[in-house]
Amino acid sequence: MTHAQELAKIFFEFSSRDAMRGIPFKPRAYELASESMTALGDDVETTWKKDGIPGLKKLPGIGQHIAEKIDEYFRTGKITEYLKMKKEFPVDIWGLSRIEGLGPKHILDLYTHLRVQTVDDLKRQLTSHKIQTIPRWGKKSEQKLFKQLQLSESATGRHLLGEILPTAESIVTALKKIPGVQQCVVAGSIRRRQETVGDIDLIATSSHPERVMDAFVNLPLVETVHEKGKTRSSVRLKIGIDADLRVVPNAVFGATLQYFTGDKRHNVLLRERALAKGFTLNEYGLFRLAKHGSATIKRVAGALVTCKTENDIYKHLGMDTPPPELRVGSDELEAAQKRQLPDLLPYGSVRGDLQVQTSWTDGNASIEEMAVAAKKSGLSYIAITDHTKSLAFLNGLDEKRLAKQQQEITTLNKKLKWFTIFSGTECDILKDGSLDLSNAALAKLDWVGVSIHSHFNLSRTEQTKRIITAISNPYVDCLFHPTCRLIGKREPIDIDLDDILAAAKKYHVALEIDCFPDRSDLNDLHVRAAIKAGVMLVIDTDAHAPEHFAFVPLGEAIARRGWATTANILNTKTAAQLKTFLAKKKAHTVG
Ligand code: DGT
Ligand code: CA
Ligand code: CA
Ligand code: ZN
């Protein structure tokens, strides 16, 4: 664990402890501090070294009290209050809380009644069916917990792309600085921008491989070295993922990159096509088969045809180069051969973010702070979409507070001439499909998103009907995080996507690609289906903090994996174009 990760854990456990004790407000402050530690990483320590407590207090989510704790941690290597708490309550709150649905009160119950301290203890108690003996828990809770535990276990070993990508990119930057390095890139599932990744695959070319390997295994991020060789090294990083580096001569870079980008199915299909054309393909290059055409085809490599660039390889096989995001072994090679690959949405195309939460509800920054951060990230507009009143635990807005918020937005739009803030909502969809705000309130907003935050377990028929009812409301512009899945934590809700797509088209409602790393919702397959159905898409970060705008490229990657072009994504429009579009839509549906 890095220092920042350890602090994140400590503050999270403080937050849970206070929640167990029923202390209001304080848990939220610790929770924000915990999230802030994760987001800031090494910056926390750098800031403390430079400016001490006053510097820390300027960081998001950190006040005097928490700054003092961080100061104590860096000065003494421990936090006294934390040690005391661990003595009184020796429970791995952090580990247990990774299991979705297991809140502080549950963890307290588990310890009080069954002395559960760790995830392993919990497993034992589940296997011996002791959980159902806890007062007020019962058989159903036990079964549910069992399922959630399995879900969280099946997720270990894979990591969210959004959590790994910044690290992978920082390694590339570090390796590129080593003298003699010509090229260095990420390959594998990260280059394909898969939503979860198993490890970090890196490829470099250099005239001095041993220098690159020395530098690689000595990176400060490295925890242990599994293997160090001349052409391949493998390490375990402190963040708990392996990284493999291959160093090859510059001349074969294309072939190596193609091979290690995968995915495996794509490569198998490509090799089949190569064989059919009298070639063989491997990580060293494309070769002409020695005896192609005779009755006994001997698959022996003959003359090297090419290995320099990926484009050369695909070109010699008679096709365009599929962008890495499309390499999944489905129909991309067919499209590449027919020269019908889509003109994918370029990274950086999204101009505005249409799902943003603020400190009016569960975000950690003001509207203005979010606008400034969005602008810094290269965006030119945002829609403020705070939660609504049925989510009381998130301080959701009722009609009155929403109207007050709109006034603030009007004032800010006058002040911030370089930016546009749309007034909006993430209006909760209630169990019967009705909405959590009155139509009169919705009518006054620029942008109405709706989404589900409860009753995740309805039958497919009920759930589908519920969503269609919600989006048939003439004021609704977008369905946010449509499947509600959380990777490794919560299964998607059961819906008939085709029916929902048909309704979205009918009611002129866009569907969201939520960039938040554990959501990634819709996924690539859904995106492709939506495009086929003629439904418009929106790429949103679901930001709850200023640093979350950095998630935009993750959503753009999902769109690309779903074969989206610029025309498929509503928020590639300028603010002015979007205004016109929404006005037309409203005229059409509201009449
Ligand atoms: P991951 O790491 O599980 O997220 O997925 P990948 O695709 O990064 O898989 P990985 O790291 O095992 O290997 C990277 C690429 O190298 C993979 O996409 C294709 C290529 N590759 C690795 N092993 C094999 C193999 O046994 N056969 C073939 N055809 N390709 C392989
Ligand atoms: Ca990999
Ligand atoms: Ca690998
Ligand atoms: Zn939400």
Side-chain angles (χ1 to χ4, degrees), residues 372-412:
V372 169
K375 170 81 180 165
K376 249 195 207 156
S377 276
L379 300 175
S380 57
Y381 57 89
I382 53 175
I384 300 300
T385 57
D386 276 300
H387 292 287
T388 55
K389 58 182 182 265
S390 70
L391 302 182
F393 56 101
L394 301 179
N395 201 15
L397 304 183
D398 59 12
E399 285 78 356
K400 228 166 120 188
R401 286 180 67 219
L402 183 66
K404 260 180 82 183
Q405 185 185 60
Q406 267 184 284
Q407 283 171 8
E408 184 180 325
I409 291 174
T410 309
T411 312
L412 277 172

Side-chain angles (χ1 to χ4, degrees), residues 188-189 199 201:
S189 50
D199 67 352
D201 300 291

Side-chain angles (χ1 to χ4, degrees), residues 283-351:
E283 59 192 284
Y284 308 106
L286 182 70
F287 301 86
R288 199 170 298 284
L289 282 172
K291 278 193 189 172
H292 181 248
S294 72
T296 50
I297 298 176
K298 279 192 191 154
R299 292 180 178 185
V300 275
L304 172 69
V305 179
T306 185
C307 52
K308 245 200 140 137
T309 68
E310 284 191 322
N311 283 345
D312 275 350
I313 293 167
Y314 285 99
K315 202 170 134 198
H316 273 92
L317 295 173
M319 57 181 90
D320 291 337
T321 305
E325 294 91 332
L326 300 190
R327 300 185 199 168
V328 298
S330 105
D331 52 348
E332 72 273 10
L333 287 175
E334 212 179 306
Q337 192 160 29
K338 291 187 188 148
R339 316 223 171 257
Q340 285 172 354
L341 286 170
D343 189 7
L344 292 187
L345 164 95
Y347 285 103
S349 305
V350 166
R351 294 179 195 251

Side-chain angles (χ1 to χ4, degrees), residues 70-125:
I70 299 174
D71 179 63
E72 184 191 351
Y73 175 84
F74 285 126
R75 269 188 302 107
T76 68
K78 57 185 202 293
I79 295 180
T80 319
E81 188 186 335
Y82 184 66
L83 296 182
K84 192 168 152 250
M85 163 185 148
K86 281 276 139 176
K87 231 171 155 181
E88 289 165 8
F89 192 69
V91 175
D92 178 16
I93 305 176
W94 173 261
L96 286 164
S97 300
R98 300 299 96 189
I99 302 165
E100 182 73 9
L102 212 55
K105 292 261 157 70
H106 300 117
I107 293 172
L108 182 61
D109 267 357
L110 286 167
Y111 181 66
T112 315
H113 296 281
L114 300 172
R115 295 283 138 191
V116 169
Q117 290 176 284
T118 64
V119 176
D120 279 337
D121 293 346
L122 176 66
K123 259 187 244 173
R124 275 192 289 276
Q125 300 291 351

Side-chain angles (χ1 to χ4, degrees), residues 158 187-190 192 194 196-199 201 244 259-264 267-268 271:
R158 299 206 61 83
S189 50
I190 300 185
R192 302 193 313 273
Q194 204 169 284
T196 64
V197 302
D199 67 352
D201 300 291
D244 288 346
Y259 182 87
F260 289 107
T261 295
D263 74 0
K264 288 174 186 112
N267 284 356
V268 168
R271 276 203 301 274

Side-chain angles (χ1 to χ4, degrees), residues 124-400:
R124 275 192 289 276
Q125 300 291 351
L126 274 169
T127 336
S128 56
H129 299 288
K130 286 275 167 51
I131 304 293
Q132 49 180 291
T133 64
I134 302 176
R136 295 183 308 278
W137 278 52
K139 226 176 179 154
K140 234 174 145 182
S141 315
E142 184 178 284
Q143 283 164 350
K144 201 169 148 199
L145 190 54
F146 189 70
K147 242 182 99 184
Q148 292 297 356
L149 180 71
Q150 280 181 323
L151 247 172
S152 77
E153 297 219 306
S154 67
T156 55
R158 299 206 61 83
H159 305 256
L160 295 173
L161 174 66
E163 283 173 2
I164 299 304
L165 192 55
T167 302
E169 284 171 345
S170 75
I171 298 177
V172 169
T173 308
L175 294 181
K176 273 188 173 161
K177 287 191 189 134
I178 299 162
V181 168
Q182 292 138 332
Q183 310 194 56
C184 180
V185 293
V186 179
S189 50
I190 300 185
R191 183 164 183 242
R192 302 193 313 273
R193 297 294 190 266
Q194 204 169 284
E195 62 195 21
T196 64
V197 302
D199 67 352
I200 302 175
D201 300 291
L202 299 149
I203 297 171
T205 70
S206 172
S207 44
H208 297 284
E210 60 297 337
R211 257 194 230 164
V212 189
M213 290 308 186
D214 283 340
F216 177 61
V217 300
N218 285 307
L219 287 173
L221 291 164
V222 171
E223 188 172 77
T224 48
V225 179
H226 298 309
E227 186 191 334
K228 184 176 175 237
K230 253 188 139 168
T231 56
R232 177 167 185 256
S233 294
S234 173
V235 298
R236 179 89 175 164
L237 301 183
K238 286 174 187 156
I239 56 168
I241 188 170
D242 288 346
D244 288 346
L245 171 66
R246 284 183 181 78
V247 183
V248 298
N250 209 28
V252 300
F253 178 70
T256 309
L257 179 61
Q258 196 291 318
Y259 182 87
F260 289 107
T261 295
D263 74 0
K264 288 174 186 112
R265 285 162 302 178
H266 175 91
N267 284 356
V268 168
L269 291 177
L270 190 65
R271 276 203 301 274
E272 266 175 26
R273 281 174 189 255
L275 279 177
K277 284 183 176 281
F279 296 104
T280 178
L281 178 65
N282 60 34
E283 59 192 284
Y284 308 106
L286 182 70
F287 301 86
R288 199 170 298 284
L289 282 172
K291 278 193 189 172
H292 181 248
S294 72
T296 50
I297 298 176
K298 279 192 191 154
R299 292 180 178 185
V300 275
L304 172 69
V305 179
T306 185
C307 52
K308 245 200 140 137
T309 68
E310 284 191 322
N311 283 345
D312 275 350
I313 293 167
Y314 285 99
K315 202 170 134 198
H316 273 92
L317 295 173
M319 57 181 90
D320 291 337
T321 305
E325 294 91 332
L326 300 190
R327 300 185 199 168
V328 298
S330 105
D331 52 348
E332 72 273 10
L333 287 175
E334 212 179 306
Q337 192 160 29
K338 291 187 188 148
R339 316 223 171 257
Q340 285 172 354
L341 286 170
D343 189 7
L344 292 187
L345 164 95
Y347 285 103
S349 305
V350 166
R351 294 179 195 251
D353 191 341
L354 297 173
Q355 198 203 145
V356 175
Q357 275 74 219
T358 70
S359 46
W360 280 77
T361 58
D362 63 338
N364 75 358
S366 68
I367 300 176
E368 183 167 0
E369 284 165 339
M370 291 305 269
V372 169
K375 170 81 180 165
K376 249 195 207 156
S377 276
L379 300 175
S380 57
Y381 57 89
I382 53 175
I384 300 300
T385 57
D386 276 300
H387 292 287
T388 55
K389 58 182 182 265
S390 70
L391 302 182
F393 56 101
L394 301 179
N395 201 15
L397 304 183
D398 59 12
E399 285 78 356
K400 228 166 120 188

